[in-house]
Structures are given as C-alpha cells and as structure tokens.
Amino acid sequence: MKLLRYGAAGTEKPGLLDADGQVRDLSAIVSDISSETLAAGALGALSAFDPQTLPIVENVGRLGPCVGNIGKFICIGLNYADHAAEANLPIPAEPIIFLKANSAICGPNDTVLIPRGAQKTDWEVELGVVIGKGGKYIDQADALAHVAGYCVVNDVSERDFQMNRGGTWDKGKGCDTFGPVGPWLVTRDEIADPQNLAMWLDIDGQRCQDGSTRTMIFDVASLVSYVSQFMSLQPGDLISTGTPPGVGMGMKPPRFLAPGNIMELGIERLGTQRQRVEADR
C-alpha cells in the first residue's frame, strides 16, 4: 500500500494511492496515518480493504508528511561509502546517530526556508524507515519485522551551523522545514529489497545526486537493530538512513541553496518531492 496524508497543515486527512494513481479517502476507516494507528495495527486492517470501494479524492491539494505525530526523528550520518569518500572522511566503524527536531517535519512539497544567518544550506535525499512495531535490543535477524514501511526524506542541512557553531550537528539539522517527508508511506511488503533502490536529487533541473541504497555502509536491518540498543523504538518513529554523494558541500567548488532554487528528489518506487527554497523572514 501507498499511504498518504492530504490537506492543510495540522488538519491532514488519511488517504491511499490506488493502482491508477488516484487518491482514495481513508477517513471512514482510520482517523490518521499516525503513530497511534500504526501502534494499533491499522496496516493489517487497511490491507483488507479493496481500494476501489473507497471514495476518490477529487481535489487533493497539499500533501502532508506521510506519517502524522512522528515520534523520534532519528538520522544516520555518513552511511554511504561514496558519500564518505566525497567528504574525504573515513568510513565510520559504527553508525553515527543524531536527531532532527520534530518541528523540522513538513510535507514533501512544502516550501523550505533558509534560516536567518545561514551560509551553507545543503540538500540530502535519504531513505526513510518508519517503525511499525516497537522494541528495544532488537535482533538484526528480526529487525525488518519492526518496519512499517519506507518513504523519501530530504535531510536539509545548514553546514555552517552544523560544523562551526559549537560542534553539535543538531544545530544545522533541526531548523524549521528541514525535514520534508513523503509523498507516501510505502508498506514493507511492497519493497522486497530496501538495499536496491535508485535515488536522485536535482537543483533547478540539474542532477546533483544520483545514487543507490546499494552503497549503504550499514543496511536497514542493521540500523534498526543498532539504534534499538541505545533507545527503545516505538511505532511512528522515523529513521533517516543517510545520503549518497552529490551534496553541495562535496562539490568543487561547493554549492549551496539560495532563495528561488527548486529541489526535486525521489527514490525508486517511493515517489518524488519538490520544494521551493525561500528565505525565512
């Protein structure tokens, strides 16, 4: 299934994308595609419905984040071998974990705001992993059973804040609008191999990132297991698993976002995003 949320920010309704690309309303079945419904086992109930029997949404309008009330927004740094080489950094011996503020989360096509004082705002297309079954100390062999599904994430990053403002990555990662999520949550059963998905990102029509989840250093199963050693995972938590090469910081000379830029990005079978960049006033 491809599950989504549509409508104005804060009042999104649940929907499903059918095989013909039409959005079907799920409001009569679930109140939201959220941490609460994932915890209640809603995916199993939704899979029993024939999409053709659900009402078509004629005017979808805005798409919201594909999961509402995301619990923890957990990110993995330097998780692609080719990105680590681009950054001239050693391959990590263990996954690097940091958190993005939940207030960074926005819809897949919402405007991205460059914060005041920013100098080096960058882009990162990433595979998002949504937890459907909670747990801690999860065995790697069982880790994928804890995954509800996958989505596209743009881990927007202000490199000057990240690198030069006291040594903690979070300052450059958690600004408002720095976490577009969606367009939809693709359930685990539709993605047989999360380690074989093409991914890309364009700035103003120019291809900047062109990679694949094949070059991940730590795969999805190992990341879910690893993160659960340090914090319990709950339904609705989101793990953003790192980015392939082609970020602005790694270009020669470096290139960063400016007001008016258009970011377009996507992952095979998971949909696409499009964001206009503006200055935060």
Side-chain angles (χ1 to χ4, degrees):
M1 293 181 292
K2 293 181 176 66
L3 303 174
L4 54 88
R5 301 168 69 246
Y6 66 95
T11 60
E12 292 94 343
K13 295 181 179 180
L16 177 151
L17 191 75
D18 69 17
D20 298 320
Q22 294 180 304
V23 173
R24 302 279 179 160
D25 181 53
L26 289 172
S27 298
I29 302 169
V30 294
S31 60
D32 199 357
I33 307 300
S34 66
S35 54
E36 291 82 0
T37 50
L38 291 175
L43 294 187
L46 289 175
S47 66
F49 282 87
D50 179 0
Q52 300 301 315
T53 66
L54 300 170
I56 293 174
V57 180
E58 299 292 351
N59 297 303
V60 175
R62 171 185 176 270
L63 290 177
C66 57
V67 178
N69 296 325
I70 289 172
K72 296 186 286 295
F73 195 167
I74 305 159
C75 298
I76 308 299
L78 287 176
N79 191 36
Y80 281 68
D82 38 8
H83 176 48
E86 166 188 62
N88 197 29
L89 293 170
I91 290 177
E94 296 186 38
I96 297 169
I97 298 174
F98 64 93
L99 301 176
K100 286 177 85 86
N102 284 35
S103 52
I105 297 168
C106 62
N109 305 317
D110 288 349
T111 299
V112 166
L113 299 174
I114 297 177
R116 294 178 184 179
Q119 303 291 324
K120 301 176 180 179
T121 306
D122 207 344
W123 54 83
E124 297 188 11
V125 58
E126 304 201 1
L127 172 68
V129 178
V130 177
I131 299 299
K133 175 185 173 184
K136 59 181 179 178
Y137 308 121
I138 297 168
D139 289 338
Q140 185 170 333
D142 299 327
L144 292 185
H146 290 258
V147 173
Y150 304 96
C151 62
V152 181
V153 174
N154 188 355
D155 176 19
V156 184
S157 308
E158 169 45 45
R159 303 300 188 187
D160 185 56
F161 294 180
Q162 177 185 356
M163 305 295 187
N164 302 321
R165 297 291 296 274
T168 57
W169 284 18
D170 305 66
K171 294 176 185 177
K173 294 287 190 173
C175 304
D176 290 358
T177 73
F178 272 24
V181 175
W184 36 76
L185 169 66
V186 180
T187 52
R188 187 182 76 243
D189 59 292
E190 291 202 8
I191 305 297
D193 183 5
Q195 304 309 144
N196 189 27
L197 299 173
M199 52 203 311
W200 55 272
L201 183 145
D202 294 348
I203 304 295
D204 294 338
Q206 178 185 350
R207 183 62 43 95
C208 295
Q209 292 189 271
D210 190 2
S212 169
T213 57
R214 290 192 304 271
T215 65
M216 276 188 189
I217 299 165
F218 305 103
D219 64 15
V220 170
S222 63
L223 289 174
V224 171
S225 174
Y226 184 85
V227 171
S228 77
Q229 311 308 307
F230 303 97
M231 63 192 82
S232 62
L233 293 173
Q234 285 104 27
D237 286 350
L238 172 63
I239 302 175
S240 197
T241 57
T243 197
V247 300
M249 180 177 62
M251 293 183 172
K252 295 180 175 51
R255 174 184 177 184
F256 298 109
L257 293 169
N261 285 158
I262 300 294
M263 291 186 283
E264 296 178 279
L265 58 146
I267 298 178
E268 180 182 0
R269 303 182 65 187
L270 301 184
T272 61
Q273 301 184 353
R274 185 182 190 274
Q275 298 113 25
R276 180 179 175 84
V277 179
E278 295 182 4
D280 193 353
R281 304 300 183 186

